[in-house]
Amino acid sequence: MLSITDNKMINYDDISQFFELEAEAIKENWDALMKLPIKERIHKRKAIKGVYLDKEYREQSDENYILFKVTFKKNLSDFKEGECLVLHKKEQVVCGIKCTI
């Protein structure tokens, strides 16, 4: 929440700086999370254990998105249906495939 202090009006630069600082903090937190071992990320509920790709599934959405079907036994993570994920290999921490559950 933004507030006005000392009777000073908030201007565009103040708001812009606020969002830049927020984005920087989010990136730093994300980078720190991605450096953790996978078991620790699963424990912190920031990764899903045992995700398997159904290699036989071939579909496309009405919006022409390529659809993949993945399964997992139990989702104990903080991720819920409709949220964005980044799928990656264990050895490739930074890059990945953005997807939606």
Side-chain angles (χ1 to χ4, degrees):
M1 182 165 86
L2 297 174
S3 63
I4 299 174
T5 58
D6 300 328
N7 294 328
K8 180 182 172 187
M9 294 297 294
I10 295 175
N11 62 34
Y12 177 84
D13 290 335
D14 296 329
I15 294 170
S16 178
Q17 183 180 15
F18 171 80
F19 283 105
E20 287 174 13
L21 291 172
E22 285 295 307
E24 186 178 309
I26 289 168
K27 183 178 181 328
E28 287 173 7
N29 289 340
W30 173 257
D31 291 344
L33 178 66
M34 290 286 89
K35 289 179 182 176
L36 295 174
I38 187 71
K39 287 184 179 181
E40 195 169 337
R41 284 191 276 149
I42 290 169
H43 179 72
K44 289 179 175 277
R45 300 171 56 108
K46 300 301 180 190
I48 300 174
K49 182 179 181 179
V51 178
Y52 300 98
L53 176 65
D54 179 348
K55 294 181 181 179
E56 303 297 317
Y57 185 84
R58 301 275 191 267
E59 295 292 329
Q60 197 165 5
S61 73
D62 293 338
E63 297 84 16
N64 292 324
Y65 289 108
I66 297 171
L67 302 175
F68 296 94
K69 183 178 179 181
V70 296
T71 58
F72 44 88
K73 290 184 180 178
K74 198 172 196 180
N75 180 8
L76 297 176
S77 74
D78 290 337
F79 297 111
K80 302 299 176 227
E81 186 172 337
E83 291 185 304
C84 184
L85 296 178
V86 177
L87 300 180
H88 59 87
K89 295 180 180 178
K90 288 181 185 179
E91 57 278 351
Q92 293 177 333
V93 176
V94 178
C95 61
I97 301 170
K98 292 184 179 178
C99 66
T100 302
I101 295 179

